[in-house]
Amino acid sequence: MSNDDHGFATEQVHGGFVPDAGHGARVPAIQMSSGFLFDDFDQARDRFAGTDDGYTYTRLGNPTNADVERRVALLERGAEAILVSSGQAAATVAFLGLLQAGDHVVSARSIYEGTRGLLTQNLGRLGIEVDFVGDARDLDAWAAAVRRNTKAFFAETIPNPKNDVLDIAGVADTAHRAGVPLVVDNTLATPYLVRPVEHGADIVVHSASKFLSGHGSGLGGVVVDGGTFDWSASPERWTHLTSPERSLGGQSYVERYGTRAWVVYARDVISSRIGPTPSPFNAFLLRQGIETLSLRIERHSANALAIAEWLDQQPEVTSVDHAGLASSPYHDLAERYLPRGAGSVFAFTLAGGEPAARAFIDAVQLFSRMTHLGDVRSLILHPATTTHAGRTPEERAEQGIGDGLVRLSVGIEDVADLLRDLERGLAAVRGGSRDGQEARTAPATELAVLGHTVPAQHVIAEEI
């Protein structure tokens, strides 16, 4: 489906749909097959040669996965997308499609800890170096970090957990002046809140396990190529794309595919050989989530802003990191890039440090204590002892991850119920550690009243 004259909600439901010629099914089938039949000898040869546009093996491509790729590429206004098995796989494919030993990356410091580890440990062992920019708003700092061997800039549109919104256009312009692409993780914003490609980003990655899915039932990741970066402008910088390739009959990827050179290389050489292939069933689950993306993100964002405003008025809370608040140093960027809302993942800091955070987190009953984001259910976590526990206290302090900081991923429940649950947490903070411990061991009464009326041990013999 063309994107002309269609709204986002229409595109998320209909985008990329290819009618089922065999049976007329409106919902594309889950093609749970490892491989695909060839009609004859010649078709097998042509598909392996790339002259017949069909499927051979699910690690290389699958119709169910391709449906999701088309839809996400459309929503992000990208040229092409690659569906992989997780957000970490998406970042890995994106980086390995650009980098080799001896290369250098400039990254924002405020990024997901898993991506930081990927850059410093995994890619570091391969001879790839990274420098982190402490203040992502300082475009001069980005420019100053560039070296002769710099090959990419990396940042997140809405970083986790501080909600410190990225100046996408500013960082993209700085990257392009250095002759390198900007890779952006758009997981927490989703294309409904912002399309980084429209602001100059070149490659977009997602942990599709989060908001794109929304239901927390499966993992997935997506790499989107904006299709705008000129890989031929500096052929010596991108030799893997501009040098003759035997498998292409002596042509280079740029000669054969033009602006698609990088995404074809990333799919055929990186993703297909490393093999982070998602199950077609997970692709199906992801597609189901995408079809309601705008509705969920609207509710997520509205709930989060209401909660941030409420927390900002509580005496036990010393700060709230949400760019939707007028007091946020990133409010101007949120107004510029995120007019529909600053997302649902943000943090707040309790004055009582870790004891207060413990009492608060143990007392809540609707918020789920778990490491995940973007679920329809509201989630809560203490970064200093979980996601950022591997950092030194000095490093955490540098990034604003204090002992009293609590991260929320606000779901789509009724906001009045969520506020009542958070008030329960604050009451535990006021009551001290003893009451907080009692709250932890007591039954979750808030959820119990929502339970089924049949006793847990009751056996229903009749098949339903």
Side-chain angles (χ1 to χ4, degrees), residues 235-282:
E236 72 287 349
R237 190 184 295 248
W238 315 106
T239 54
H240 62 300
L241 302 178
T242 59
S243 299
E245 174 61 46
R246 186 176 64 179
S247 64
L248 300 181
Q251 287 185 304
S252 69
Y253 278 88
V254 167
E255 289 172 328
R256 171 71 68 88
Y257 299 107
T259 57
R260 294 182 61 236
W262 178 84
V263 73
V264 173
Y265 182 89
R267 182 190 297 275
D268 292 355
V269 179
I270 306 300
S271 183
S272 69
R273 290 187 182 156
I274 295 176
T277 309
S279 161
F281 182 72
N282 276 18

Side-chain angles (χ1 to χ4, degrees), residues 47-175:
R47 287 193 179 173
F48 272 78
T51 57
D52 182 284
D53 189 19
Y55 297 97
T56 59
Y57 192 63
T58 284
R59 176 165 55 81
L60 309 177
N62 178 284
T64 310
N65 299 1
D67 176 83
V68 175
E69 292 173 341
R70 290 190 299 270
R71 193 160 307 188
V72 174
L74 173 64
L75 293 178
E76 282 286 10
R77 292 298 184 264
E80 191 168 335
I82 306 171
L83 185 66
V84 291
S85 56
S86 69
Q88 280 294 87
T92 301
V93 169
F95 287 133
L96 292 182
L98 295 169
L99 307 170
Q100 62 185 13
D103 287 345
H104 173 249
V105 179
V106 182
S107 171
R109 182 178 62 191
S110 184
I111 59 173
Y112 169 54
E113 281 296 287
T115 310
R116 178 186 174 87
L118 172 64
L119 287 166
T120 58
Q121 291 181 295
N122 301 89
L123 297 185
R125 288 185 61 240
L126 301 180
I128 297 167
E129 296 180 300
V130 58
D131 280 316
F132 294 99
V133 176
D135 179 6
R137 294 197 65 152
D138 186 349
L139 300 182
D140 289 337
W142 286 91
V146 173
R147 307 178 191 172
R148 293 184 62 184
N149 58 337
T150 300
K151 291 290 186 67
F153 278 20
F154 175 77
E156 299 178 2
T157 48
I158 303 179
N160 156 33
K162 299 287 284 181
N163 206 261
D164 37 339
V165 178
L166 178 71
D167 180 0
I168 307 170
V171 177
D173 288 345
T174 307

Side-chain angles (χ1 to χ4, degrees), residues 414-439:
D414 288 302
V415 70
D417 294 327
L418 295 176
L419 289 173
R420 185 169 63 245
D421 198 38
L422 295 174
E423 173 57 39
R424 183 180 292 113
L426 289 180
V429 172
R430 298 183 197 112
S433 60
R434 184 180 65 83
D435 292 340
Q437 181 63 28
E438 289 177 358

Side-chain angles (χ1 to χ4, degrees), residues 284-322:
F284 170 81
L285 292 177
L286 170 55
R287 183 179 62 228
Q288 297 301 100
I290 290 173
E291 291 178 351
T292 59
L293 179 62
S294 63
L295 306 178
R296 290 184 288 102
I297 297 299
E298 285 178 359
R299 182 64 169 262
H300 279 294
S301 298
N303 279 359
L305 181 58
I307 288 172
E309 292 172 339
W310 180 81
L311 286 168
D312 202 36
Q313 301 302 312
Q314 306 310 308
E316 297 82 6
V317 176
T318 61
S319 64
V320 180
D321 300 308
H322 190 291

Side-chain angles (χ1 to χ4, degrees), residues 88 109-118 121 156 159-162 188 210 345-347 361 369-373 379-392 395-396 399-403 405-409:
Q88 280 294 87
R109 182 178 62 191
S110 184
I111 59 173
Y112 169 54
E113 281 296 287
T115 310
R116 178 186 174 87
L118 172 64
Q121 291 181 295
E156 299 178 2
N160 156 33
K162 299 287 284 181
L188 299 193
K210 311 300 192 298
V345 178
F346 70 98
I361 291 172
R369 292 173 285 272
M370 60 184 291
T371 175
H372 187 49
L373 299 167
L379 316 175
I380 191 168
L381 202 66
H382 183 242
T385 56
T386 57
T387 56
H388 292 69
R391 306 288 292 278
T392 67
E395 287 173 332
R396 289 197 295 271
Q399 200 170 338
I401 309 294
D403 291 340
L405 184 134
V406 175
R407 184 187 79 185
L408 301 180
S409 175

